[in-house]
Amino acid sequence: MNGTLRRALGLTAGVVIVGAAVVLFKPTSDVGYIEIKTVPVAPLTQTALYIDSAKLAPIKQGNAILQERVGTLRLQADGLAGALAPLCDIVVKRNRITTVTISVLERPPRCQCRFSGSNAARACVS
Amino acid sequence: MKTLLSALVQGNRARFVVAALFAVAFTFSAAGARAEDASTTNAGNPISPVEEFSQQLEAFQKSVPDLNTSIQNSASTIDSVTDAEKARAEIDKLRATVSGLLGAVSDNGPVSQLGVKALDHIRGKLKALAAETRYKQEERLFLIDQWRKLETETQNANKELDDARVQFGGLLQTLQQNEDFISELLEIRQAEKALEVIRHLTADIRDASSQLNKLIGGIKPPGA
């Protein structure tokens, strides 16, 4: 293999690797956290919960910390006739953690914000 | 550093750059990649979810001494500053560091997801072995015993990760609550009181740092 071809291959490999690294290692500047606590505490929460439309894995031992994009997200649960019932909005801020407690015994489950936003909407803030 | 520079200058530049890029990409993908379905390869051989989890866990453990150094350095800086605004900026930096680590161990983070996958893989193996007819009874029992040991180790590692997640979450909350209180104090121009709060926070952070060090040091990757 001649030197030019080797250099070209090396350069291509470099470009591919850097591209992959950029895609795989997303900057963390636009993420924050949601801590979901469920009461009563159970080994696995049976109530299906959703953040926007994404279904969450069952919550273990009444506590989960999720990394989410910055913004206002809607916490929802299964409602009647297959529709999702909104529980509350959660404001996610960069590198901050917003805690919400969900009372799963109630129908529909109820959100209790650790800190509430100043607006009239039911929104949990960090 | 001198050796690196001379290597760059004296030819083989392309190979050096490609090798460096590869190392950087490998490190980044190990730290930040989402869990993929046992697809990572090493010299073309697929690695099992258990090995992948073990590798990610080791990479995570290695990143924690950086956190401790960062906490110690920030705490020292905060101790020495007399300007509450500057100290608050240090707290903000620290929050970003803790946030990065919490991202790795959060329930939907790469390390935790791999832990779940590793356990699923082990349980699948145990189920398959229970119905396996290719091996002699004692061979089958030996394999089942080995997978059960691995299951216990993986469960323990996952439990330690759960604890680490709670600790990192608690630390992040402590930092943001204090920062909010300090902001309020600065708004009413209570800089001296803010500095006092910052100094108390520094002591809390140092304490959390040593606790985290012990906790993370106790995590045993499965099969290690």
mmCIF file of all heavy atoms in Angstrom, chain B residues 168-205:
data_model
loop_
_atom_site.group_PDB
_atom_site.id
_atom_site.type_symbol
_atom_site.label_atom_id
_atom_site.label_comp_id
_atom_site.label_asym_id
_atom_site.label_seq_id
_atom_site.Cartn_x
_atom_site.Cartn_y
_atom_site.Cartn_z
ATOM 1 N N PHE B 168 -25.451 10.876 44.655
ATOM 2 C CA PHE B 168 -25.197 11.958 43.698
ATOM 3 C C PHE B 168 -26.398 12.895 43.615
ATOM 4 O O PHE B 168 -26.233 14.117 43.561
ATOM 5 C CB PHE B 168 -24.914 11.395 42.294
ATOM 6 C CG PHE B 168 -23.521 10.857 42.114
ATOM 7 C CD1 PHE B 168 -23.311 9.633 41.511
ATOM 8 C CD2 PHE B 168 -22.417 11.567 42.531
ATOM 9 C CE1 PHE B 168 -22.035 9.117 41.336
ATOM 10 C CE2 PHE B 168 -21.137 11.070 42.364
ATOM 11 C CZ PHE B 168 -20.948 9.842 41.761
ATOM 12 N N GLY B 169 -27.606 12.304 43.615
ATOM 13 C CA GLY B 169 -28.827 13.110 43.573
ATOM 14 C C GLY B 169 -28.909 14.015 44.788
ATOM 15 O O GLY B 169 -29.227 15.200 44.669
ATOM 16 N N GLY B 170 -28.599 13.461 45.959
ATOM 17 C CA GLY B 170 -28.620 14.232 47.208
ATOM 18 C C GLY B 170 -27.611 15.361 47.170
ATOM 19 O O GLY B 170 -27.900 16.492 47.601
ATOM 20 N N LEU B 171 -26.422 15.055 46.637
ATOM 21 C CA LEU B 171 -25.360 16.063 46.561
ATOM 22 C C LEU B 171 -25.765 17.211 45.631
ATOM 23 O O LEU B 171 -25.573 18.390 45.957
ATOM 24 C CB LEU B 171 -24.058 15.394 46.080
ATOM 25 C CG LEU B 171 -22.797 16.237 46.035
ATOM 26 C CD1 LEU B 171 -22.511 16.902 47.366
ATOM 27 C CD2 LEU B 171 -21.599 15.382 45.628
ATOM 28 N N LEU B 172 -26.367 16.843 44.507
ATOM 29 C CA LEU B 172 -26.818 17.863 43.548
ATOM 30 C C LEU B 172 -27.891 18.745 44.181
ATOM 31 O O LEU B 172 -27.895 19.966 44.009
ATOM 32 C CB LEU B 172 -27.364 17.171 42.290
ATOM 33 C CG LEU B 172 -27.489 18.011 41.031
ATOM 34 C CD1 LEU B 172 -26.156 18.616 40.641
ATOM 35 C CD2 LEU B 172 -28.032 17.191 39.872
ATOM 36 N N GLN B 173 -28.789 18.103 44.958
ATOM 37 C CA GLN B 173 -29.844 18.868 45.603
ATOM 38 C C GLN B 173 -29.268 19.823 46.657
ATOM 39 O O GLN B 173 -29.681 20.976 46.752
ATOM 40 C CB GLN B 173 -30.844 17.931 46.252
ATOM 41 C CG GLN B 173 -32.205 18.084 45.645
ATOM 42 C CD GLN B 173 -33.090 16.897 45.792
ATOM 43 O OE1 GLN B 173 -32.870 16.063 46.652
ATOM 44 N NE2 GLN B 173 -34.095 16.805 44.973
ATOM 45 N N THR B 174 -28.298 19.322 47.438
ATOM 46 C CA THR B 174 -27.651 20.171 48.446
ATOM 47 C C THR B 174 -27.025 21.391 47.775
ATOM 48 O O THR B 174 -27.172 22.526 48.251
ATOM 49 C CB THR B 174 -26.542 19.371 49.177
ATOM 50 O OG1 THR B 174 -27.133 18.197 49.691
ATOM 51 C CG2 THR B 174 -25.908 20.152 50.299
ATOM 52 N N LEU B 175 -26.322 21.128 46.660
ATOM 53 C CA LEU B 175 -25.651 22.230 45.967
ATOM 54 C C LEU B 175 -26.653 23.261 45.454
ATOM 55 O O LEU B 175 -26.463 24.463 45.655
ATOM 56 C CB LEU B 175 -24.834 21.682 44.788
ATOM 57 C CG LEU B 175 -23.534 20.976 45.150
ATOM 58 C CD1 LEU B 175 -23.005 20.190 43.970
ATOM 59 C CD2 LEU B 175 -22.479 21.976 45.604
ATOM 60 N N GLN B 176 -27.744 22.789 44.823
ATOM 61 C CA GLN B 176 -28.667 23.760 44.229
ATOM 62 C C GLN B 176 -29.468 24.524 45.278
ATOM 63 O O GLN B 176 -29.720 25.719 45.122
ATOM 64 C CB GLN B 176 -29.564 23.117 43.166
ATOM 65 C CG GLN B 176 -30.645 22.208 43.654
ATOM 66 C CD GLN B 176 -31.307 21.450 42.488
ATOM 67 O OE1 GLN B 176 -30.667 21.108 41.500
ATOM 68 N NE2 GLN B 176 -32.592 21.185 42.618
ATOM 69 N N GLN B 177 -29.805 23.840 46.386
ATOM 70 C CA GLN B 177 -30.572 24.541 47.428
ATOM 71 C C GLN B 177 -29.725 25.631 48.080
ATOM 72 O O GLN B 177 -30.198 26.731 48.323
ATOM 73 C CB GLN B 177 -31.038 23.559 48.492
ATOM 74 C CG GLN B 177 -32.290 22.809 48.052
ATOM 75 C CD GLN B 177 -32.507 21.551 48.842
ATOM 76 O OE1 GLN B 177 -32.005 21.403 49.957
ATOM 77 N NE2 GLN B 177 -33.249 20.612 48.266
ATOM 78 N N ASN B 178 -28.454 25.291 48.354
ATOM 79 C CA ASN B 178 -27.565 26.285 48.958
ATOM 80 C C ASN B 178 -27.331 27.445 47.999
ATOM 81 O O ASN B 178 -27.290 28.593 48.409
ATOM 82 C CB ASN B 178 -26.234 25.645 49.341
ATOM 83 C CG ASN B 178 -26.336 24.932 50.667
ATOM 84 O OD1 ASN B 178 -26.180 25.533 51.711
ATOM 85 N ND2 ASN B 178 -26.644 23.655 50.634
ATOM 86 N N GLU B 179 -27.165 27.079 46.720
ATOM 87 C CA GLU B 179 -26.920 28.116 45.722
ATOM 88 C C GLU B 179 -28.111 29.078 45.644
ATOM 89 O O GLU B 179 -27.923 30.291 45.560
ATOM 90 C CB GLU B 179 -26.681 27.452 44.373
ATOM 91 C CG GLU B 179 -25.942 28.354 43.414
ATOM 92 C CD GLU B 179 -25.824 27.758 42.038
ATOM 93 O OE1 GLU B 179 -26.129 26.562 41.869
ATOM 94 O OE2 GLU B 179 -25.434 28.496 41.137
ATOM 95 N N ASP B 180 -29.326 28.507 45.707
ATOM 96 C CA ASP B 180 -30.523 29.352 45.663
ATOM 97 C C ASP B 180 -30.568 30.291 46.871
ATOM 98 O O ASP B 180 -30.873 31.474 46.747
ATOM 99 C CB ASP B 180 -31.796 28.485 45.637
ATOM 100 C CG ASP B 180 -31.941 27.720 44.330
ATOM 101 O OD1 ASP B 180 -31.226 28.067 43.370
ATOM 102 O OD2 ASP B 180 -32.739 26.770 44.281
ATOM 103 N N PHE B 181 -30.243 29.724 48.044
ATOM 104 C CA PHE B 181 -30.265 30.521 49.274
ATOM 105 C C PHE B 181 -29.209 31.633 49.200
ATOM 106 O O PHE B 181 -29.471 32.791 49.552
ATOM 107 C CB PHE B 181 -30.016 29.604 50.484
ATOM 108 C CG PHE B 181 -30.117 30.302 51.807
ATOM 109 C CD1 PHE B 181 -31.232 31.063 52.135
ATOM 110 C CD2 PHE B 181 -29.098 30.203 52.744
ATOM 111 C CE1 PHE B 181 -31.327 31.711 53.364
ATOM 112 C CE2 PHE B 181 -29.181 30.843 53.978
ATOM 113 C CZ PHE B 181 -30.298 31.598 54.279
ATOM 114 N N ILE B 182 -28.042 31.280 48.678
ATOM 115 C CA ILE B 182 -26.959 32.266 48.540
ATOM 116 C C ILE B 182 -27.401 33.388 47.591
ATOM 117 O O ILE B 182 -27.149 34.563 47.849
ATOM 118 C CB ILE B 182 -25.662 31.577 48.051
ATOM 119 C CG1 ILE B 182 -25.122 30.663 49.156
ATOM 120 C CG2 ILE B 182 -24.594 32.592 47.646
ATOM 121 C CD1 ILE B 182 -24.186 29.580 48.667
ATOM 122 N N SER B 183 -28.088 32.999 46.503
ATOM 123 C CA SER B 183 -28.574 34.010 45.546
ATOM 124 C C SER B 183 -29.522 34.992 46.223
ATOM 125 O O SER B 183 -29.452 36.198 45.999
ATOM 126 C CB SER B 183 -29.309 33.338 44.385
ATOM 127 O OG SER B 183 -28.425 32.560 43.663
ATOM 128 N N GLU B 184 -30.412 34.420 47.050
ATOM 129 C CA GLU B 184 -31.363 35.285 47.776
ATOM 130 C C GLU B 184 -30.604 36.244 48.699
ATOM 131 O O GLU B 184 -30.922 37.430 48.777
ATOM 132 C CB GLU B 184 -32.321 34.432 48.637
ATOM 133 C CG GLU B 184 -33.213 33.494 47.844
ATOM 134 C CD GLU B 184 -34.482 34.156 47.334
ATOM 135 O OE1 GLU B 184 -34.725 35.323 47.672
ATOM 136 O OE2 GLU B 184 -35.216 33.484 46.579
ATOM 137 N N LEU B 185 -29.599 35.695 49.401
ATOM 138 C CA LEU B 185 -28.823 36.537 50.315
ATOM 139 C C LEU B 185 -28.118 37.657 49.561
ATOM 140 O O LEU B 185 -28.042 38.791 50.030
ATOM 141 C CB LEU B 185 -27.787 35.682 51.068
ATOM 142 C CG LEU B 185 -28.345 34.735 52.128
ATOM 143 C CD1 LEU B 185 -27.267 33.791 52.634
ATOM 144 C CD2 LEU B 185 -28.934 35.521 53.309
ATOM 145 N N LEU B 186 -27.579 37.306 48.380
ATOM 146 C CA LEU B 186 -26.878 38.328 47.602
ATOM 147 C C LEU B 186 -27.849 39.382 47.078
ATOM 148 O O LEU B 186 -27.482 40.550 46.949
ATOM 149 C CB LEU B 186 -26.104 37.683 46.448
ATOM 150 C CG LEU B 186 -24.898 36.838 46.873
ATOM 151 C CD1 LEU B 186 -24.248 36.178 45.682
ATOM 152 C CD2 LEU B 186 -23.873 37.683 47.635
ATOM 153 N N GLU B 187 -29.080 38.918 46.806
ATOM 154 C CA GLU B 187 -30.086 39.870 46.332
ATOM 155 C C GLU B 187 -30.395 40.910 47.395
ATOM 156 O O GLU B 187 -30.679 42.068 47.089
ATOM 157 C CB GLU B 187 -31.369 39.131 45.959
ATOM 158 C CG GLU B 187 -31.593 39.049 44.464
ATOM 159 C CD GLU B 187 -32.922 38.411 44.132
ATOM 160 O OE1 GLU B 187 -33.962 38.985 44.478
ATOM 161 O OE2 GLU B 187 -32.889 37.305 43.541
ATOM 162 N N ILE B 188 -30.357 40.474 48.663
ATOM 163 C CA ILE B 188 -30.595 41.462 49.732
ATOM 164 C C ILE B 188 -29.261 41.964 50.322
ATOM 165 O O ILE B 188 -29.200 42.465 51.429
ATOM 166 C CB ILE B 188 -31.528 40.894 50.848
ATOM 167 C CG1 ILE B 188 -31.053 39.536 51.353
ATOM 168 C CG2 ILE B 188 -32.954 40.827 50.378
ATOM 169 C CD1 ILE B 188 -31.808 39.037 52.567
ATOM 170 N N ARG B 189 -28.214 41.751 49.530
ATOM 171 C CA ARG B 189 -26.867 42.271 49.842
ATOM 172 C C ARG B 189 -26.344 41.794 51.189
ATOM 173 O O ARG B 189 -25.785 42.563 51.972
ATOM 174 C CB ARG B 189 -26.875 43.796 49.758
ATOM 175 C CG ARG B 189 -27.195 44.254 48.358
ATOM 176 C CD ARG B 189 -27.178 45.740 48.259
ATOM 177 N NE ARG B 189 -27.656 46.148 46.944
ATOM 178 C CZ ARG B 189 -27.729 47.404 46.563
ATOM 179 N NH1 ARG B 189 -27.374 48.358 47.364
ATOM 180 N NH2 ARG B 189 -28.165 47.698 45.364
ATOM 181 N N GLN B 190 -26.553 40.532 51.442
ATOM 182 C CA GLN B 190 -26.035 39.937 52.675
ATOM 183 C C GLN B 190 -24.815 39.080 52.331
ATOM 184 O O GLN B 190 -24.819 37.861 52.528
ATOM 185 C CB GLN B 190 -27.118 39.078 53.328
ATOM 186 C CG GLN B 190 -28.210 39.863 53.992
ATOM 187 C CD GLN B 190 -27.810 40.318 55.383
ATOM 188 O OE1 GLN B 190 -26.863 39.795 55.964
ATOM 189 N NE2 GLN B 190 -28.492 41.295 55.923
ATOM 190 N N ALA B 191 -23.784 39.711 51.762
ATOM 191 C CA ALA B 191 -22.624 38.970 51.260
ATOM 192 C C ALA B 191 -21.904 38.193 52.366
ATOM 193 O O ALA B 191 -21.430 37.075 52.152
ATOM 194 C CB ALA B 191 -21.664 39.916 50.568
ATOM 195 N N GLU B 192 -21.834 38.779 53.539
ATOM 196 C CA GLU B 192 -21.118 38.103 54.638
ATOM 197 C C GLU B 192 -21.835 36.832 55.050
ATOM 198 O O GLU B 192 -21.219 35.787 55.272
ATOM 199 C CB GLU B 192 -20.971 39.042 55.838
ATOM 200 C CG GLU B 192 -19.720 39.893 55.733
ATOM 201 C CD GLU B 192 -19.513 40.781 56.946
ATOM 202 O OE1 GLU B 192 -19.950 40.389 58.055
ATOM 203 O OE2 GLU B 192 -18.952 41.863 56.777
ATOM 204 N N LYS B 193 -23.155 36.926 55.141
ATOM 205 C CA LYS B 193 -23.967 35.760 55.499
ATOM 206 C C LYS B 193 -23.849 34.696 54.392
ATOM 207 O O LYS B 193 -23.739 33.499 54.671
ATOM 208 C CB LYS B 193 -25.431 36.210 55.677
ATOM 209 C CG LYS B 193 -26.396 35.114 56.030
ATOM 210 C CD LYS B 193 -26.252 34.630 57.455
ATOM 211 C CE LYS B 193 -27.210 33.491 57.726
ATOM 212 N NZ LYS B 193 -26.825 32.710 58.898
ATOM 213 N N ALA B 194 -23.819 35.170 53.127
ATOM 214 C CA ALA B 194 -23.674 34.245 51.993
ATOM 215 C C ALA B 194 -22.360 33.489 52.093
ATOM 216 O O ALA B 194 -22.312 32.268 51.886
ATOM 217 C CB ALA B 194 -23.752 35.027 50.686
ATOM 218 N N LEU B 195 -21.296 34.212 52.444
ATOM 219 C CA LEU B 195 -19.987 33.557 52.573
ATOM 220 C C LEU B 195 -19.997 32.507 53.689
ATOM 221 O O LEU B 195 -19.399 31.437 53.560
ATOM 222 C CB LEU B 195 -18.893 34.598 52.842
ATOM 223 C CG LEU B 195 -18.325 35.265 51.587
ATOM 224 C CD1 LEU B 195 -17.457 36.459 51.971
ATOM 225 C CD2 LEU B 195 -17.527 34.291 50.740
ATOM 226 N N GLU B 196 -20.709 32.832 54.748
ATOM 227 C CA GLU B 196 -20.816 31.881 55.865
ATOM 228 C C GLU B 196 -21.512 30.586 55.396
ATOM 229 O O GLU B 196 -21.061 29.472 55.700
ATOM 230 C CB GLU B 196 -21.628 32.554 56.981
ATOM 231 C CG GLU B 196 -21.611 31.823 58.308
ATOM 232 C CD GLU B 196 -22.614 32.456 59.275
ATOM 233 O OE1 GLU B 196 -22.601 33.696 59.438
ATOM 234 O OE2 GLU B 196 -23.420 31.691 59.826
ATOM 235 N N VAL B 197 -22.601 30.764 54.626
ATOM 236 C CA VAL B 197 -23.329 29.602 54.095
ATOM 237 C C VAL B 197 -22.421 28.799 53.163
ATOM 238 O O VAL B 197 -22.381 27.561 53.209
ATOM 239 C CB VAL B 197 -24.610 30.068 53.334
ATOM 240 C CG1 VAL B 197 -25.311 28.893 52.672
ATOM 241 C CG2 VAL B 197 -25.556 30.767 54.276
ATOM 242 N N ILE B 198 -21.667 29.513 52.340
ATOM 243 C CA ILE B 198 -20.754 28.849 51.399
ATOM 244 C C ILE B 198 -19.730 28.011 52.161
ATOM 245 O O ILE B 198 -19.432 26.867 51.785
ATOM 246 C CB ILE B 198 -20.059 29.904 50.495
ATOM 247 C CG1 ILE B 198 -21.089 30.486 49.506
ATOM 248 C CG2 ILE B 198 -18.883 29.308 49.749
ATOM 249 C CD1 ILE B 198 -20.647 31.757 48.816
ATOM 250 N N ARG B 199 -19.207 28.554 53.246
ATOM 251 C CA ARG B 199 -18.186 27.824 54.022
ATOM 252 C C ARG B 199 -18.796 26.563 54.665
ATOM 253 O O ARG B 199 -18.157 25.510 54.701
ATOM 254 C CB ARG B 199 -17.579 28.738 55.085
ATOM 255 C CG ARG B 199 -16.966 29.984 54.491
ATOM 256 C CD ARG B 199 -15.442 30.048 54.678
ATOM 257 N NE ARG B 199 -14.827 30.749 53.569
ATOM 258 C CZ ARG B 199 -14.687 32.081 53.477
ATOM 259 N NH1 ARG B 199 -15.116 32.866 54.441
ATOM 260 N NH2 ARG B 199 -14.110 32.624 52.427
ATOM 261 N N HIS B 200 -20.029 26.684 55.140
ATOM 262 C CA HIS B 200 -20.694 25.499 55.689
ATOM 263 C C HIS B 200 -20.894 24.448 54.605
ATOM 264 O O HIS B 200 -20.708 23.263 54.824
ATOM 265 C CB HIS B 200 -22.058 25.871 56.302
ATOM 266 C CG HIS B 200 -21.940 26.362 57.710
ATOM 267 N ND1 HIS B 200 -22.412 27.595 58.087
ATOM 268 C CD2 HIS B 200 -21.403 25.810 58.813
ATOM 269 C CE1 HIS B 200 -22.163 27.780 59.371
ATOM 270 N NE2 HIS B 200 -21.548 26.700 59.836
ATOM 271 N N LEU B 201 -21.284 24.942 53.433
ATOM 272 C CA LEU B 201 -21.522 24.042 52.304
ATOM 273 C C LEU B 201 -20.230 23.309 51.935
ATOM 274 O O LEU B 201 -20.244 22.111 51.627
ATOM 275 C CB LEU B 201 -22.045 24.846 51.104
ATOM 276 C CG LEU B 201 -22.238 24.081 49.806
ATOM 277 C CD1 LEU B 201 -23.303 23.006 49.946
ATOM 278 C CD2 LEU B 201 -22.631 25.015 48.664
ATOM 279 N N THR B 202 -19.123 24.016 51.980
ATOM 280 C CA THR B 202 -17.829 23.410 51.657
ATOM 281 C C THR B 202 -17.566 22.205 52.558
ATOM 282 O O THR B 202 -17.120 21.148 52.100
ATOM 283 C CB THR B 202 -16.705 24.458 51.832
ATOM 284 O OG1 THR B 202 -17.082 25.628 51.142
ATOM 285 C CG2 THR B 202 -15.395 23.962 51.277
ATOM 286 N N ALA B 203 -17.855 22.389 53.849
ATOM 287 C CA ALA B 203 -17.636 21.276 54.788
ATOM 288 C C ALA B 203 -18.543 20.096 54.435
ATOM 289 O O ALA B 203 -18.098 18.935 54.434
ATOM 290 C CB ALA B 203 -17.904 21.752 56.214
ATOM 291 N N ASP B 204 -19.804 20.402 54.090
ATOM 292 C CA ASP B 204 -20.751 19.337 53.702
ATOM 293 C C ASP B 204 -20.262 18.597 52.463
ATOM 294 O O ASP B 204 -20.364 17.376 52.360
ATOM 295 C CB ASP B 204 -22.142 19.928 53.398
ATOM 296 C CG ASP B 204 -22.854 20.421 54.641
ATOM 297 O OD1 ASP B 204 -22.372 20.107 55.752
ATOM 298 O OD2 ASP B 204 -23.874 21.128 54.503
ATOM 299 N N ILE B 205 -19.751 19.367 51.507
ATOM 300 C CA ILE B 205 -19.302 18.764 50.241
ATOM 301 C C ILE B 205 -18.090 17.861 50.490
ATOM 302 O O ILE B 205 -17.990 16.774 49.939
ATOM 303 C CB ILE B 205 -18.967 19.863 49.203
ATOM 304 C CG1 ILE B 205 -20.246 20.578 48.789
ATOM 305 C CG2 ILE B 205 -18.287 19.271 47.984
ATOM 306 C CD1 ILE B 205 -19.999 21.826 47.972
#
